[in-house]
C-alpha cells in the first residue's frame, strides 16, 4: 500500500489516500467475487451455499447498515462505491459462489523487508532501521526517500548520519523540504486514526477481515481507549498487534559487537511453535 501511495505521490494520512483505499479495495472485491461466481457456474457452488448471505443476495458492503441497525449506533464509514455492482449481483443470483470465503488481508512482516517493500497495508515503520530475527540483522532503508533526497541534492554521508541519529524520522532534520517530510512520515507520525480510517474503507468490501496492526509510541490507557473505540465506531471487524517503540535504537556509533548466537534447526522450530502457542508471531520462518 505504501509503495502504491508513493507512486501516486500521496501522503498516507491524506484524504486522497483514504479514498484510494476505498477505490482499490472495491475493484479487488468486484473482480474477486465475479471470478468466484463464474467458477460456480462452471463447477458448482460450495456445499453450504444454500441459505448463506451470498445466496440471500447480501454482499459485504450491505452488512454495514445491518451492523449499524444491530448496534443502534452509527457506523462511521461512507457507504457505496464507484462501480456498478448490478452485474456481480446478477451473476451471484444466477450462478452462486464457488468460495464461501473470498477475501482477507494477511500480514507480511519480514517477507516485505526481503522484497524491498512495506508490510502489507501499513505505512513505513521508519525510514531507516535494523531488523533482527534468527536469520540475522539487516538494515531496512526507504529507497523512495533516498531517490527523493538525491533529486534534491541532499543525499550524502551527513544525511545518513542524521537519519541514524533521529531513528529514521525526518521531522527534526533541517534542510529537508516539508513536502518530503509529509510524504515520508513514519508509522508513529501518521497516527492511528489514518490507519483505522483506511482500514474501515477497505473493510466494507471484504467478506472476511484484515490484520490491522496499530501503533502507539508510548501507549497509555486514555490513548488506547480512544484508539480502540475509534476502530469499533468505524466498523472494523478485528485489529491485530499493538506496536510500540522498541527500547533499542539504530546503532549510532561504531561499537564492538558480541558474537551472534547461533541456533540449531531444532531450536528455530521450537521458537516458532512456542510463539504460536502464545498467540505471537515468529519471524524466523517468514
Amino acid at each position: 500500500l505504501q509503495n502504491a501511495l508513493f507512486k501516486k505521490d500521496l501522503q498516507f494520512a491524506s484524504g486522497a489516500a483514504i479514498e484510494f483505499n476505498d477505490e482499490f479495495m472495491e475493484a479487488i472485491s468486484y473482480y474477486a467475487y465475479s471470478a468466484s461466481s463464474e467458477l460456480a457456474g462452471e463447477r458448482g457452488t460450495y456445499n453450504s451455499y444454500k441459505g448463506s448471505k451470498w445466496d440471500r443476495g447480501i454482499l459485504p458492503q450491505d452488512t454495514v447498515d445491518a451492523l449499524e441497525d444491530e448496534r443502534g449506533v452509527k457506523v462511521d464509514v461512507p457507504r457505496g462505491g464507484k462501480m456498478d455492482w448490478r452485474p456481480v449481483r446478477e451473476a451471484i443470483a444466477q450462478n452462486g459462489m464457488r468460495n464461501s470465503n473470498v477475501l482477507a488481508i494477511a500480514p507480511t512482516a519480514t517477507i516485505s523487508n526481503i522484497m524491498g517493500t512495506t508490510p502489507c497495508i501499513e505505512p513505513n515503520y521508519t525510514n531507516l532501521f535494523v531488523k533482527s530475527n534468527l536469520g540475522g540483522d539487516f538494515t531496512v532503508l526507504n529507497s523512495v526517500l533516498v531517490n527523493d533526497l538525491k533529486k534534491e541534492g541532499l543525499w550524502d554521508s551527513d544525511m545518513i548520519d542524521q537519519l541514524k541519529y533521529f531513528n529514521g524520522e525526518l521531522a527534526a532534520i533541517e534542510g529537508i523540504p516539508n513536502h518530503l517530510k509529509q510524504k515520508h512520515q513514519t508509522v508513529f507520525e501518521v497516527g492511528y486514526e489514518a490507519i483505522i480510517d483506511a482500514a474501515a474503507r477497505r473493510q466494507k468490501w471484504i467478506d472476511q477481515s484484515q490484520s490491522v496492526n496499530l501503533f502507539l509510541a508510548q501507549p497509555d490507557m486514555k490513548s488506547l481507549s480512544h484508539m480502540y473505540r475509534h476502530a469499533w465506531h468505524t466498523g472494523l471487524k478485528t485489529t491485530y498487534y499493538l506496536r510500540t517503540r522498541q527500547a533499542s535504537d539504530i546503532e549510532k556509533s561504531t561499537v564492538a559487537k558480541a558474537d551472534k548466537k547461533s541456533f540449531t534447526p531444532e531450536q528455530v522450530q521450537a521458537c516458532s511453535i512456542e510463539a504460536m502457542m502464545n498467540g505471537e508471531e515468529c519471524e524466523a520462518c517468514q
Side-chain angles (χ1 to χ4, degrees), residues 7-252:
K7 289 182 179 295
K8 293 176 70 67
D9 201 28
L10 294 176
Q11 301 170 19
F12 195 98
S14 66
I18 303 299
E19 290 292 335
F20 175 65
N21 278 270
D22 203 326
E23 292 172 12
F24 82 71
M25 200 68 244
E26 179 183 12
I28 291 172
S29 64
Y30 185 99
Y31 293 109
Y33 301 152
S34 296
S36 183
S37 181
E38 183 178 341
L39 283 172
E42 297 173 1
R43 306 177 187 179
T45 63
Y46 62 91
N47 291 337
S48 57
Y49 174 77
K50 195 67 176 177
S52 67
K53 286 187 175 70
W54 302 113
D55 184 35
R56 289 178 282 152
I58 302 173
L59 300 188
Q61 60 266 38
D62 302 328
T63 63
V64 179
D65 287 337
L67 175 63
E68 185 171 283
D69 292 340
E70 180 182 324
R71 288 179 174 178
V73 177
K74 179 179 175 59
V75 175
D76 191 16
V77 63
R79 311 301 201 265
K82 295 187 175 182
M83 303 181 75
D84 180 5
W85 281 81
R86 286 175 296 179
V88 180
R89 293 181 184 276
E90 291 169 0
I92 294 174
Q94 179 178 344
N95 302 325
M97 291 286 283
R98 180 64 179 175
N99 309 93
S100 60
N101 300 304
V102 182
L103 294 176
I105 297 180
T108 54
T110 303
I111 296 172
S112 63
N113 300 139
I114 295 172
M115 297 303 296
T117 186
T118 52
C120 198
I121 49 179
E122 297 172 10
N124 268 338
Y125 179 78
T126 185
N127 291 301
L128 174 66
F129 67 100
V130 175
K131 189 171 182 68
S132 301
N133 59 26
L134 294 182
D137 295 343
F138 53 95
T139 301
V140 180
L141 178 63
N142 178 359
S143 60
V144 178
L145 172 62
V146 174
N147 290 332
D148 285 344
L149 291 174
K150 285 181 177 179
K151 291 176 183 177
E152 299 287 340
L154 297 173
W155 183 249
D156 53 24
S157 58
D158 181 61
M159 179 59 68
I160 295 173
D161 289 340
Q162 290 195 70
L163 282 171
K164 289 180 179 179
Y165 184 82
F166 291 109
N167 297 315
E169 295 187 350
L170 308 185
I173 301 179
E174 296 182 0
I176 296 180
N178 188 60
H179 74 276
L180 289 185
K181 291 183 178 182
Q182 295 297 315
K183 178 180 178 179
H184 295 285
Q185 283 186 328
T186 67
V187 72
F188 292 107
E189 294 175 305
V190 165
Y192 65 79
E193 294 92 346
I195 295 174
I196 290 173
D197 289 344
R201 294 295 192 95
R202 296 188 302 267
Q203 184 64 74
K204 67 181 179 181
W205 304 111
I206 299 173
D207 60 319
Q208 295 187 83
S209 190
Q210 311 168 75
S211 294
V212 182
N213 287 324
L214 297 175
F215 299 82
L216 281 176
Q218 296 179 325
D220 57 75
M221 290 305 297
K222 182 178 180 180
S223 298
L224 289 170
S225 175
H226 285 311
M227 181 175 68
Y228 285 112
R229 284 167 63 88
H230 185 56
W232 186 83
H233 279 292
T234 56
L236 284 192
K237 292 181 180 178
T238 59
T239 61
Y240 197 39
Y241 287 101
L242 169 63
R243 305 292 194 189
T244 60
R245 285 194 188 276
Q246 295 181 355
S248 59
D249 293 331
I250 296 171
E251 185 181 352
K252 297 182 175 65

